Amino acid sequence: MSDITLPKEWRATQLGDVAEYGKTQKCELSDIKVDTWILELEDIEKNSSRIIKRLNTSERPFKSTKNKFKEGDILYGKLRPYLNKVVIADDNGVCSTEIIPLNAEPNVNNHYLFHWLRSETFLNYVVEVSYGVNMPRLGTKDGLLAPFILPPQAEQKVIADKLDTLLAQVETTKARLDRIPQILKTFRQSVLAAAVSGKLTEEWRGKNGVSEWQQKTLGDVVAGISQGWSPKCLSEETSGKSWGVIKTSSVQERLFLEQENKKLPEHLEPREALKVATGDILTTRAGPRSRCGVSCYVENVTLNLMICDKVYRYQVKPEMGLSKFLVMQLNSHPTLESIESLKTGISESGMNLTQKKFKELLLEWPSTEEQTQIVHRVEELFAFSDRIEQKANAALERVNNLTQ
């Protein structure tokens, strides 16, 4: 910090000059009451200085020695200090010895010290001097030597109060931005529900005199369903071409993740009959309940990819309409609930969707002309929501940088 020009009456010093880092008062379980607050590092959310869990002695009895702290103390997490776990205690209690209580009053404002301990200058220092590879800690000696900027006492309070106000506004903004992805997810599901119920194109049907929807089964509208194959080992090349095998984790609603695929074993020949092509529908047929029965549309495939044994591959018959429309229907809440009723299995981690049951899935099926209208409108609305999400993510990134 030698290159920083400080205001008059401010001075650069060390943490040990204003607070006794590392000096703690120990206690055992027998020393405290049953309703005493017991704080562990896991109870503090990283970066936000928010207490996410609060337990007392009766709920969290302990055997090891703890550090005592008082209301108003700063509690600094010295283990993995890059997680930036720092809070001001709002009550008396005891904490893990990986948490160091600090009190710089009356000479230094504790709220000012709290904000300093969360600052980028202090964080950069502790990351550099922490010892231990897997579980780094800020040692007592290095903690006492840590840099500290000391303004006049009256100014410390002004700074702390302004930071409290501004950072509260930052957290409020961040909380609002954090809600946007869930709001957009709900919006997309509402769009799909309107699309597959006919509400999205109700006005269009009236203007064009299109016939009502018919009830079909999945078996009525799709061509033969292929089930894949699952090799067990890995390699780079097969028969002079790079091949990959699609895992169930590659099949996401609306998205096809090529980077999730494992490589085909060198000693096994690729199976052209199982190769994925643009326009295919993929549906997971086995796995945990939340992953079984998920479908996606494959668009612009540039790699040689095969489906594994836990993935179905198929397309809508040309005379029946569009594969994209079927995927939208399969991923809508009403149809997902119907798929749920077709699954078999006795545990959440091991569900199955047999071809026989899957082909019995009931669908409300419009004309190809109306399917085209639906796909076009849904894609427009999804593109709109994607643009909002991109802007929200960019704003959230800026907000996350505002604190420092």
Side-chain angles (χ1 to χ4, degrees):
M1 296 192 303
S2 58
D3 58 340
I4 296 177
T5 302
L6 296 175
K8 187 180 178 182
E9 298 182 353
W10 288 40
R11 64 188 179 91
T13 183
Q14 295 173 334
L15 180 61
D17 293 332
V18 300
E20 295 180 303
Y21 178 87
K23 186 176 180 180
T24 59
Q25 185 180 356
K26 306 295 183 184
C27 72
E28 307 293 337
L29 181 61
S30 57
D31 300 328
I32 59 176
K33 299 178 181 178
V34 294
D35 60 349
T36 300
W37 179 19
I38 312 295
L39 180 69
E40 297 290 346
L41 266 177
E42 66 193 47
D43 302 339
I44 306 173
E45 186 176 63
K46 67 178 183 180
N47 293 319
S48 72
S49 296
R50 192 167 66 90
I51 301 295
I52 54 178
K53 188 193 299 180
R54 188 183 289 260
L55 300 176
N56 61 30
T57 313
S58 62
E59 297 164 317
R60 182 182 270 165
F62 58 89
K63 296 180 180 179
S64 59
T65 300
K66 300 290 182 186
N67 290 336
K68 278 188 175 183
F69 61 82
K70 295 179 180 178
E71 181 181 352
D73 284 355
I74 302 162
L75 306 178
Y76 177 76
K78 70 173 184 177
L79 177 66
R80 295 191 292 174
Y82 56 84
L83 295 177
N84 202 14
K85 293 190 174 187
V86 192
V87 297
I88 295 181
D90 60 4
D91 197 358
N92 298 337
V94 301
C95 58
S96 161
T97 53
E98 301 292 0
I99 299 173
I100 303 297
L102 293 167
N103 186 358
E105 302 279 3
N107 298 319
V108 173
N109 183 287
N110 267 358
H111 273 75
Y112 172 79
L113 176 56
F114 162 74
H115 288 302
W116 176 260
L117 295 177
R118 299 177 66 215
S119 72
E120 192 172 52
T121 301
F122 187 76
L123 279 170
N124 290 340
Y125 169 80
V126 299
V127 168
E128 185 177 340
V129 302
S130 295
Y131 66 92
V133 178
N134 296 324
M135 302 287 276
R137 290 175 173 80
L138 177 63
T140 300
K141 180 181 177 181
D142 289 322
L144 293 168
L145 295 174
F148 186 72
I149 295 293
L150 184 64
Q153 195 165 20
E155 202 165 351
Q156 293 173 30
K157 186 176 187 310
V158 173
I159 292 169
D161 288 347
K162 286 191 174 183
L163 283 172
D164 285 342
T165 300
L166 290 170
L167 294 180
Q169 292 173 359
V170 170
E171 286 303 311
T172 299
T173 303
K174 184 175 182 294
R176 288 174 177 170
L177 289 170
D178 281 336
R179 289 197 294 270
I180 289 177
Q182 183 57 49
I183 292 170
L184 290 175
K185 184 177 180 180
T186 302
F187 169 75
R188 292 183 186 115
Q189 271 300 332
S190 297
V191 169
L192 288 180
V196 303
S197 66
K199 291 181 181 178
L200 196 62
T201 44
E202 191 170 22
E203 186 178 342
W204 178 88
R205 273 197 312 280
K207 288 181 179 179
N208 291 273
V210 177
S211 60
E212 293 300 311
W213 294 26
Q214 297 179 331
Q215 191 172 72
K216 302 283 186 182
T217 66
L218 185 82
D220 293 332
V221 303
V222 304
I225 298 176
S226 300
Q227 180 178 324
W229 162 72
S230 185
K232 303 297 182 186
C233 51
L234 308 175
S235 179
E236 292 290 334
E237 299 283 333
T238 297
S239 302
K241 295 181 180 179
S242 294
W243 276 77
V245 179
I246 296 170
K247 302 191 297 183
T248 54
S249 56
S250 301
V251 182
Q252 306 280 342
E253 292 179 19
R254 300 178 52 236
L255 187 62
F256 184 47
L257 299 178
E258 295 176 346
Q259 67 269 28
E260 291 287 334
N261 304 306
K262 65 181 181 181
K263 293 166 186 172
L264 187 69
E266 189 174 53
H267 65 280
L268 294 173
E269 287 294 321
R271 301 188 181 185
E272 292 283 349
L274 300 178
K275 185 177 178 180
V276 173
T278 298
D280 283 346
I281 302 172
L282 304 180
T283 299
T284 56
R285 68 157 195 87
R289 184 180 292 277
S290 62
R291 292 295 309 141
C292 179
V294 176
S295 301
C296 75
Y297 179 79
V298 180
E299 201 157 16
N300 300 324
V301 174
T302 58
L303 302 176
N304 293 311
L305 297 169
M306 291 168 41
I307 50 173
C308 77
D309 65 332
K310 294 182 179 180
V311 174
Y312 291 139
R313 185 209 59 191
Y314 52 97
Q315 291 192 7
V316 170
K317 298 172 185 175
E319 68 273 18
M320 296 302 299
L322 308 176
S323 291
K324 271 191 178 181
F325 171 76
L326 178 56
V327 171
M328 291 173 182
Q329 190 165 86
L330 292 174
N331 285 329
S332 67
H333 272 319
T335 310
L336 286 171
E337 289 175 0
S338 298
I339 291 173
E340 187 68 30
S341 67
L342 301 176
K343 296 177 187 177
T344 59
I346 58 174
S347 71
E348 291 291 319
S349 60
M351 304 302 294
N352 291 282
L353 182 62
T354 66
Q355 279 201 43
K356 183 177 183 297
K357 289 282 189 182
F358 193 33
K359 287 179 179 179
E360 293 171 357
L361 178 68
L362 292 176
L363 305 169
E364 296 299 325
W365 203 253
S367 67
T368 301
E369 189 180 11
E370 188 168 355
Q371 290 178 42
T372 303
Q373 288 293 320
I374 290 170
V375 168
H376 175 68
R377 294 188 184 188
V378 170
E379 288 185 333
E380 278 189 334
L381 290 167
F382 277 18
F384 169 71
S385 68
D386 288 344
R387 289 194 297 273
I388 292 176
E389 191 161 26
Q390 288 170 2
K391 290 179 180 178
N393 288 339
L396 185 59
E397 186 176 350
R398 291 195 296 272
V399 168
N400 286 334
N401 292 328
L402 275 178
T403 299
Q404 289 305 333

